[in-house]
Amino acid sequence: TDPSTPAWVWWRDDRTAGAIARHQVQEAAVHRWDAQAAVGDPEPLAQPVAADGVEEFIWIARQLRDPAPITLVATHTGRSFPVTDPAVSDAPSVVTVSATASDLVLLLYGRVAAAGVQVAGDRAVLDAFLAPIQ
């Protein structure tokens, strides 16, 4: 199927086969991690997949709920991922979460606890953001 083909999705924007394919990469990577965790020591998600996974999670989250004043930082690259849409708000983040992109994705999908990443700022804001997925 051509990536631009319209398709049903549970998020609001980019209702295409290409958006579904992008999301499936994230789901497959997280489920691979789940399978490895069930039998031993899981390997981190591949860096390009993990970085896109953080970006994609935030992109969907912004569509489904009010953005939170949070910035996620991938420690191995220094790349920042603002959860608050910078095009809509210039409000500063009240909490910054730092970890590898792999651990950020696993945090966002409820696979690792916030205690396993570095949190600077108002932890309650992070907990409220993560509550719907825990």
Side-chain angles (χ1 to χ4, degrees):
T1 301
D2 184 279
S4 64
T5 301
W8 183 91
V9 295
W10 49 267
W11 53 83
R12 291 185 203 143
D13 295 325
D14 197 0
R15 301 167 94 59
T16 63
I20 293 170
R22 178 186 187 198
H23 188 69
Q24 289 301 302
V25 170
Q26 313 315 322
E27 286 202 3
V30 171
H31 291 312
R32 188 267 309 152
W33 186 92
D34 289 338
Q36 288 181 332
V39 297
D41 192 25
E43 293 185 26
L45 279 59
Q47 196 283 322
V49 171
D52 189 56
V54 174
E55 190 174 276
E56 192 234 15
F57 187 96
I58 293 169
W59 170 71
I60 291 174
R62 285 179 185 151
Q63 296 177 50
L64 302 177
R65 54 188 159 141
D66 292 335
I70 298 170
T71 296
L72 306 173
V73 178
T75 54
H76 60 293
T77 64
R79 183 172 175 197
S80 292
F81 302 88
V83 177
T84 301
D85 187 347
V88 176
S89 172
D90 60 358
S93 294
V94 298
V95 64
T96 299
V97 181
S98 301
T100 65
S102 177
D103 282 349
L104 291 173
V105 169
L106 296 171
L107 171 73
L108 293 170
Y109 281 99
R111 297 328 198 259
V112 300
V117 300
Q118 183 181 359
V119 179
D122 190 346
R123 171 71 186 269
V125 172
L126 176 62
D127 291 343
F129 179 73
L130 296 175
I133 56 168
Q134 295 178 341

